[in-house]
Amino acid sequence: LDSLLQEKKMKDKKNQEEIVQGFQNMRSEQRSLASKISELQAEMSEHKIVIETLDGVDPDRKCFRMVGGVLVERTVKEVLPALTSNRDKLEKLLESLNTQLSDKGSEINAYMEKHNIQVRGQGNDNKKEEKADDGVKSGGVLVSK
């Protein structure tokens, strides 16, 4: 009888570990999506700045563009359409990734609700207790008395 109980506890523990691992994988995917979105947003802002700069320039003026790690000489009228096309594609990609991110967030919330997962630092159960030592607060700095 004891061996059956121990076996059941081991299975429950493995099941809990699988649930936690699944949750951590989902959070990791969400973080990587958010990271990719911020990377693409930075690239998008660079494209916008360059397009705004090139709009006021003579179309026959020579400019340089990095293509596959190689600096290539072109004219503004050749580069500007490619930049606007890239910017438009980046906008569509960002919309898609933002949708994926929100879907992943709702998927994680559903998973948390289904398996009754509570993250430390969230919720009502984990209220922060503030300790005041003689009215002195260190603010994250180690202070010796």
Side-chain angles (χ1 to χ4, degrees):
L1 186 63
D2 286 338
S3 64
L4 287 175
L5 287 175
Q6 286 178 343
E7 195 173 308
K8 181 169 175 45
K9 286 181 182 179
M10 291 295 285
K11 285 183 180 178
D12 287 345
K13 188 173 183 179
K14 285 183 182 178
N15 190 24
Q16 286 179 349
E17 289 174 1
E18 290 172 3
I19 289 171
V20 169
Q21 186 63 40
F23 175 70
Q24 289 174 343
N25 288 341
M26 293 169 82
R27 292 279 298 252
S28 173
E29 291 171 12
Q30 186 184 37
R31 277 198 247 10
S32 73
L33 274 173
S35 166
K36 190 66 176 174
I37 286 173
S38 76
E39 178 184 320
L40 290 175
Q41 284 175 336
E43 195 170 323
M44 171 87 100
S45 69
E46 288 177 16
H47 273 71
K48 286 181 179 179
I49 290 169
V50 172
I51 289 170
E52 288 173 6
T53 304
L54 291 180
D55 272 341
V57 176
D58 179 33
D60 292 324
R61 184 174 175 178
K62 118 171 79 160
C63 67
F64 296 90
R65 181 175 183 210
M66 185 74 74
V67 178
V70 178
L71 198 59
V72 180
E73 182 180 337
R74 298 274 187 245
T75 61
V76 172
K77 66 182 174 190
E78 294 172 342
V79 171
L80 204 52
L83 284 175
T84 54
S85 170
N86 285 351
R87 182 198 57 202
D88 295 342
K89 289 177 185 174
L90 281 173
E91 285 177 351
K92 289 178 184 174
L93 182 60
L94 278 169
E95 287 176 17
S96 168
L97 287 175
N98 280 321
T99 304
Q100 287 179 22
L101 184 65
S102 64
D103 291 347
K104 182 59 73 175
S106 56
E107 182 182 345
I108 288 173
N109 288 338
Y111 190 85
M112 287 174 66
E113 207 171 292
K114 177 182 176 185
H115 296 289
N116 196 20
I117 297 174
Q118 295 178 352
V119 179
R120 289 185 191 145
Q122 291 181 350
N124 297 332
D125 298 358
N126 299 327
K127 293 180 182 175
K128 293 183 179 179
E129 296 178 15
E130 294 183 18
K131 296 181 180 180
D133 295 325
D134 301 326
V136 177
K137 292 188 178 182
S138 63
V141 178
L142 184 60
V143 180
S144 62
K145 291 185 178 184

